[in-house]
Amino acid sequence: VTEHGSTSDALQNFFLERYAEAYRREMRHFVSILRDGQTPTAGYSDGVASLVLAEAAALSVKRNAAIDVATI
């Protein structure tokens, strides 16, 4: 912190590098679903649960309060 406000180093764009292996595995799994008929590890209910959590997080920020995911 300085007299002109707070300062910090620029943010590094490491997201893709950090999760590169996870993305590769996800793509390999997707290809095996299409090519070999493998069962997806995540299903419809997993997607819905993710959306519920995202909605709860957005409401929490908007309301500045904890949100019970059971109410969404």
Side-chain angles (χ1 to χ4, degrees):
V1 177
T2 69
E3 63 186 46
H4 303 290
S6 63
T7 61
S8 64
D9 294 335
L11 295 175
Q12 296 181 8
N13 186 12
F14 67 92
F15 191 82
L16 291 176
E17 292 173 12
R18 182 175 183 178
Y19 297 106
E21 181 58 28
Y23 291 136
R24 281 191 286 275
R25 288 180 184 189
E26 183 176 8
M27 290 305 297
R28 282 193 297 265
H29 180 59
F30 181 69
V31 169
S32 69
I33 291 168
L34 297 177
R35 185 182 55 209
D36 307 326
Q38 184 177 354
T39 302
T41 56
Y44 177 80
S45 61
D46 298 306
V48 171
S50 295
L51 291 173
V52 168
L53 291 175
E55 183 66 20
L59 284 173
S60 178
V61 168
K62 183 177 180 179
R63 297 178 184 173
N64 194 30
I67 302 297
D68 181 358
V69 295
T71 64
I72 295 181

